[in-house]
Amino acid sequence: MVKFAVLGCGVVGSGVVELFEKNKALIEKRCGQELEMGYILDLRDFPDRPYGNKVVKSLDVILADPDVKVVAECMGGTEPAFTFVKACLEAGKSVATSNKELVAAKGDILLKTAKEHNVNFFFEASVGGAIPIIRPLHKCLAANDFTAIAGILNGTTNFILNKMIKENMDFSTALALAQEKGYAEKDPTADVEGHDACRKICILSSLAFGKHVYPESVHTQGIREVELKDVERSSELGYTIKLIARVQRLENGKILPTVMPMVVEEDNLLSQVNGVYNAVMVRGDGISKAMFYGRGAGKFPTASAVLGDMIEEVQLDHTIPAQTWENVNSTDFIEDFAAFTAKRYFRVSGEDAAALNAVFGNLASISAQDGETVCITDKEMNADDVEAAAKALNGKGIQVLAQYPVLVS
Amino acid sequence: MVKFAVLGCGVVGSGVVELFEKNKALIEKRCGQELEMGYILDLRDFPDRPYGNKVVKSLDVILADPDVKVVAECMGGTEPAFTFVKACLEAGKSVATSNKELVAAKGDILLKTAKEHNVNFFFEASVGGAIPIIRPLHKCLAANDFTAIAGILNGTTNFILNKMIKENMDFSTALALAQEKGYAEKDPTADVEGHDACRKICILSSLAFGKHVYPESVHTQGIREVELKDVERSSELGYTIKLIARVQRLENGKILPTVMPMVVEEDNLLSQVNGVYNAVMVRGDGISKAMFYGRGAGKFPTASAVLGDMIEEVQLDHTIPAQTWENVNSTDFIEDFAAFTAKRYFRVSGEDAAALNAVFGNLASISAQDGETVCITDKEMNADDVEAAAKALNGKGIQVLAQYPVLVS
């Protein structure tokens, strides 16, 4: 018999307890042994819930129980989560977390601590909710040299953009609806400004390339500026605007992680990922490409991922060597955003196709309407190229009204 | 240092060797130790290849080498693969296979043998080529009670249907093109008649529901009868014809595995899986649904999956208890195909909407053109219902020209 504990009885924590109780027989069969939910750490009491008698107020109770082999951390935030998780690992208990903020900020330290104490620090639930992506990336695809990862990693912004795309809602109305439905927080900054997606691409980048990528190293741009007009006009050209978290390895060997709105061609599966769903496209030299799709958040989807980690821990009895990365105390392996190049979507004033051709060269597509023109460039442009083109167009009396890079994934 | 051996130096076997040599440093880092490709078992010689000196003609050499910890079986077919794999497991060597025929026919025996000898029998490469699906299903999603799996599991038929859909090619022309491109065998029976997809849904069903499902228990229907007309007309209604391998758990607790052409709504991601790509949609009570997408076959995609298994084996030092299922010596847990119900696509002669309404009740959609009418029924129908409807329509002078079930996934 193995005991587990849950830190934090919020949405995810209670989901872990409830999904475990629902599927206990099945889970124990798959584990090969009996499991018991030993403790729930929370400052609140839950007298009305069936597991109310398992609530404890101090981590020490959990640390002191030798039967507790694995701990689910579902508190969120960096502290006290970091202190608690580190204490669990040091006490010889493996940890499964859903906390992307913690993994993005402290993953290197916690992985090292886990290794030193011959336990595991698992975080499948920290990226993509229910979607199996961490384990597939570092196990199933471990024979691949990765070249790029691109994903829709934030359900809230995808829901908002979807409402803009499918129902012509403007950004503020769609945000208000997301808040009403409980998809967006009262303070939606972390989602809307791209910070949440940034943490997740940090985790995937660290895992794929073996060096800790901190959020501060990632060019992060949210969706607050996305106008309904660009949603409509890019669709005319066969593209959809999505908030894309992405990392690519460049020819110089450096990696370039970014979070920003990009236009995605409609025959790319990522453009078809709607509502609160998430998806991650992975490129490697063996697989060419693979995509993983599912619910990116929510009580039971996230609980499913946490429990998956806990089940593996119960099946194992030693540290997994592959799931690790190092802190190289340098950001030299990360390319500056100035080096980012992509084909571009432009929306400009006027309907002067000849002027656009003169500045951009060949265009992949173009559409003029109501005194404005949208186009997709044929050539890849970096930020300097975009600025130079805007200046050149300006000289011809044309204003650049909006511009987005095109995703190739 | 750990040695491995490869049985069979065909497309997949040579892919395993070449991808390993290409990414050796990376793979060894992820394994946490050095790896050596020790032997290739093949009847042929490969004097011109860099690994030509590793070729052996007898399995005994491999069995006798205590340094060989894991063996990749890439021969295909049931024999001698079964005898060889069993001998390896009994000699204390774990096996990773890409051979779906072997797993579908003998998985229960080989999993049992592996367990008895404290080694692993891995088969990630047997379903979906490069797509991580076996490990995600039995590890990441292990907390879920599964209710259904539906997938496009055969790239050849998907390529053919795609050519019919996108380029209006008829079946025979598309098949000839697939053969020309090397996607289809000279004798395309296994692909075209659905046997390949059947083996794969047997493996997924066995894993998800814990009991061995043999190919003989699966209603299997291929795509040879699919007419260009239905490809075109179903598309008018917003549907795409795909060869769908599927298993669902019914309310009586039995499972119902099927392989057959089905019409898929265009907002279902499975309808967007094109060319030789494969995809698997999984439904469980924790995750709601998740989808896995990637290359379903090919040298390096399949090699990537085989090597992923081998890497996990090197990292581990014991049997994985969850990856198993039992032979229950009965098919009582499998529902008869007669119980299969679904909404239906019909193509019938004439343009008499009133007659169709009289027979089918409400219709979800209908479109009449050139003396034929296509429709999607609102009610679910089993085979008896379909037969009764055909008889009733006949009484009104209307012929049923084609009929496909609608996928709900």
Side-chain angles (χ1 to χ4, degrees), chain A residues 345-356:
Chain A
Y345 158 91
F346 278 94
R347 177 163 58 89
V348 302
S349 64
E351 301 194 358
D352 187 349
L356 293 174

Side-chain angles (χ1 to χ4, degrees), chain B residues 77-314:
Chain B
T78 312
E79 279 298 352
F82 174 67
T83 305
F84 285 10
V85 167
K86 197 153 181 289
C88 288
L89 296 171
E90 286 167 349
K93 300 171 195 313
S94 288
V95 173
T97 185
S98 59
N99 185 340
K100 56 242 172 194
E101 204 175 330
L102 177 68
V103 184
K106 304 282 186 182
D108 51 348
I109 301 173
L110 294 171
L111 283 163
K112 194 160 168 273
T113 308
K115 210 170 179 183
E116 285 165 3
H117 292 83
N118 200 32
V119 292
N120 290 298
F121 177 58
F122 285 130
F123 45 90
E124 183 64 74
S126 68
V127 181
I131 307 173
I133 177 65
I134 301 296
R135 193 165 277 106
L137 202 57
H138 91 272
K139 287 205 163 179
C140 308
L141 306 183
N144 285 266
D145 191 14
F146 297 111
T147 50
I149 298 174
I152 293 169
L153 295 178
N154 179 273
T156 308
T157 46
N158 204 46
F159 174 86
I160 292 172
L161 287 172
N162 219 220
K163 286 285 162 191
M164 295 174 74
I165 294 161
K166 304 270 179 188
E167 298 175 29
N168 282 348
M169 247 179 225
D170 64 24
F171 173 79
S172 317
T173 314
L175 171 59
L177 181 66
Q179 286 172 317
E180 193 187 307
K181 281 183 172 276
Y183 297 150
E185 310 276 336
K186 231 186 208 172
D187 174 4
T189 311
D191 290 325
V192 165
E193 303 294 351
H195 303 155
D196 177 75
C198 170
R199 288 170 193 141
K200 293 168 178 169
I201 199 67
C202 286
I203 297 171
L204 296 180
S205 303
S206 303
L207 196 60
F209 300 105
K211 293 172 182 167
H212 196 120
V213 176
Y214 292 95
E216 304 76 52
S217 309
V218 181
H219 172 87
T220 302
Q221 185 188 336
I223 62 162
R224 213 181 269 280
E225 315 292 321
V226 175
E227 285 180 53
L228 195 50
K229 205 165 227 178
D230 290 301
V231 165
E232 291 163 359
R233 299 297 304 267
S234 63
S235 154
E236 261 170 58
L237 302 176
Y239 288 77
T240 303
I241 299 185
K242 294 284 185 188
L243 182 66
I244 300 291
R246 181 168 178 249
V247 61
Q248 53 176 325
R249 199 186 56 204
L250 306 177
E251 279 182 20
N252 63 9
K254 293 188 180 187
I255 65 167
L256 180 46
T258 51
V259 174
M260 55 190 169
M262 299 180 87
V263 298
V264 185
E265 238 180 318
E266 276 161 15
D267 67 358
N268 183 322
L269 272 187
L270 285 177
S271 75
Q272 312 284 337
V273 173
N274 294 325
V276 293
Y277 278 83
N278 281 194
V280 188
M281 187 79 82
V282 178
R283 280 205 170 265
D285 58 350
I287 55 170
S288 173
K289 64 178 178 183
M291 195 185 85
F292 304 83
Y293 164 90
R295 287 194 173 265
K299 180 172 179 168
F300 292 115
T302 311
S304 159
V306 173
L307 279 165
D309 279 350
M310 294 163 70
I311 291 168
E312 169 146 38
E313 178 56 36
V314 174

Side-chain angles (χ1 to χ4, degrees), chain A residues 22 30 144 285 293 312, chain B residues 22 30 139 144 285 291:
Chain A
K22 177 166 189 267
R30 289 174 183 163
N144 286 265
D285 59 350
Y293 164 91
E312 168 144 41
Chain B
K22 177 165 188 270
R30 290 173 182 162
K139 287 205 163 179
N144 285 266
D285 58 350
M291 195 185 85

Side-chain angles (χ1 to χ4, degrees), chain A residues 223-341:
Chain A
I223 63 161
R224 213 182 270 280
E225 315 291 322
V226 175
E227 286 180 54
L228 195 50
K229 204 164 227 178
D230 290 303
V231 164
E232 292 164 358
R233 299 297 306 267
S234 62
S235 154
E236 262 169 57
L237 301 176
Y239 289 78
T240 303
I241 299 185
K242 293 284 184 189
L243 182 66
I244 300 291
R246 180 166 177 249
V247 62
Q248 51 176 325
R249 198 186 56 203
L250 306 176
E251 279 183 18
N252 63 9
K254 294 188 179 188
I255 65 167
L256 181 47
T258 51
V259 175
M260 55 191 168
M262 299 181 87
V263 298
V264 185
E265 239 180 318
E266 277 161 14
D267 68 357
N268 183 322
L269 271 189
L270 285 178
S271 75
Q272 313 283 337
V273 174
N274 294 325
V276 293
Y277 276 84
N278 281 194
V280 188
M281 188 78 81
V282 178
R283 279 203 171 267
D285 59 350
I287 56 169
S288 174
K289 64 178 178 182
M291 195 185 85
F292 304 84
Y293 164 91
R295 287 193 174 266
K299 181 172 178 167
F300 292 116
T302 311
S304 159
V306 173
L307 278 165
D309 280 350
M310 293 163 70
I311 292 168
E312 168 144 41
E313 177 55 38
V314 174
Q315 292 169 0
L316 290 173
D317 54 6
H318 67 121
T319 310
I320 298 190
Q323 180 161 294
T324 191
W325 60 72
E326 44 185 7
N327 178 354
V328 292
N329 289 314
S330 150
T331 55
D332 285 353
F333 67 103
I334 300 176
E335 185 56 272
D336 195 84
F337 182 64
F340 175 85
T341 67

Side-chain angles (χ1 to χ4, degrees), chain A residues 182-195:
Chain A
Y183 297 151
E185 309 277 336
K186 233 186 207 169
D187 175 3
T189 312
D191 291 325
V192 166
E193 303 293 352
H195 303 155

Side-chain angles (χ1 to χ4, degrees), chain A residues 367-387:
Chain A
S367 165
Q369 197 183 290
D370 298 335
E372 289 184 4
T373 303
V374 289
C375 66
I376 304 280
T377 68
D378 208 28
K379 70 174 176 195
E380 303 213 337
M381 305 170 74
N382 64 19
D384 284 350
D385 298 334
V386 169
E387 205 184 310

Side-chain angles (χ1 to χ4, degrees), chain A residues 13-34:
Chain A
S14 64
V16 168
V17 175
E18 291 166 30
L19 189 60
F20 169 73
E21 294 297 346
K22 177 166 189 267
N23 293 338
K24 192 165 187 283
L26 202 85
I27 290 172
E28 289 181 334
K29 190 167 181 206
R30 289 174 183 163
C31 276
Q33 59 183 302
E34 282 177 36

Side-chain angles (χ1 to χ4, degrees), chain A residues 34-333:
Chain A
E34 282 177 36
L35 256 80
E36 188 191 317
M37 204 273 290
Y39 309 97
I40 300 170
L41 181 75
D42 206 291
L43 295 175
R44 298 162 292 180
D45 280 311
F46 302 92
D48 300 337
R49 298 195 193 166
Y51 45 84
N53 62 333
K54 299 293 181 80
V55 175
V56 297
K57 305 289 168 190
S58 159
L59 185 69
D60 294 338
V61 184
I62 295 165
L63 296 179
D65 187 337
D67 289 341
V68 173
K69 190 178 176 192
V70 56
V71 175
E73 188 276 297
C74 310
M75 298 188 293
T78 313
E79 280 297 351
F82 174 67
T83 305
F84 285 11
V85 167
K86 197 153 182 287
C88 289
L89 297 170
E90 286 167 350
K93 298 169 195 318
S94 288
V95 174
T97 186
S98 59
N99 186 340
K100 57 242 169 192
E101 205 176 330
L102 176 68
V103 184
K106 305 282 187 183
D108 51 348
I109 300 172
L110 294 171
L111 283 164
K112 195 159 166 269
T113 308
K115 209 170 181 181
E116 284 164 5
H117 293 83
N118 199 32
V119 291
N120 290 296
F121 177 58
F122 285 132
F123 45 91
E124 183 65 74
S126 68
V127 181
I131 308 172
I133 178 63
I134 301 295
R135 193 166 277 105
L137 202 57
H138 92 272
K139 288 205 162 178
C140 308
L141 306 182
N144 286 265
D145 191 12
F146 297 111
T147 50
I149 298 173
I152 293 169
L153 295 178
N154 180 271
T156 309
T157 46
N158 203 47
F159 174 85
I160 292 171
L161 287 172
N162 218 219
K163 286 285 162 189
M164 295 174 74
I165 294 161
K166 304 269 177 188
E167 299 174 29
N168 281 348
M169 250 181 225
D170 64 23
F171 172 79
S172 316
T173 314
L175 171 59
L177 181 66
Q179 286 172 317
E180 195 186 306
K181 282 185 172 276
Y183 297 151
E185 309 277 336
K186 233 186 207 169
D187 175 3
T189 312
D191 291 325
V192 166
E193 303 293 352
H195 303 155
D196 176 75
C198 170
R199 288 171 193 140
K200 292 166 178 170
I201 198 67
C202 285
I203 296 171
L204 296 180
S205 303
S206 302
L207 195 60
F209 300 105
K211 294 173 183 169
H212 196 120
V213 176
Y214 293 96
E216 304 78 52
S217 308
V218 180
H219 172 87
T220 302
Q221 186 190 334
I223 63 161
R224 213 182 270 280
E225 315 291 322
V226 175
E227 286 180 54
L228 195 50
K229 204 164 227 178
D230 290 303
V231 164
E232 292 164 358
R233 299 297 306 267
S234 62
S235 154
E236 262 169 57
L237 301 176
Y239 289 78
T240 303
I241 299 185
K242 293 284 184 189
L243 182 66
I244 300 291
R246 180 166 177 249
V247 62
Q248 51 176 325
R249 198 186 56 203
L250 306 176
E251 279 183 18
N252 63 9
K254 294 188 179 188
I255 65 167
L256 181 47
T258 51
V259 175
M260 55 191 168
M262 299 181 87
V263 298
V264 185
E265 239 180 318
E266 277 161 14
D267 68 357
N268 183 322
L269 271 189
L270 285 178
S271 75
Q272 313 283 337
V273 174
N274 294 325
V276 293
Y277 276 84
N278 281 194
V280 188
M281 188 78 81
V282 178
R283 279 203 171 267
D285 59 350
I287 56 169
S288 174
K289 64 178 178 182
M291 195 185 85
F292 304 84
Y293 164 91
R295 287 193 174 266
K299 181 172 178 167
F300 292 116
T302 311
S304 159
V306 173
L307 278 165
D309 280 350
M310 293 163 70
I311 292 168
E312 168 144 41
E313 177 55 38
V314 174
Q315 292 169 0
L316 290 173
D317 54 6
H318 67 121
T319 310
I320 298 190
Q323 180 161 294
T324 191
W325 60 72
E326 44 185 7
N327 178 354
V328 292
N329 289 314
S330 150
T331 55
D332 285 353
F333 67 103

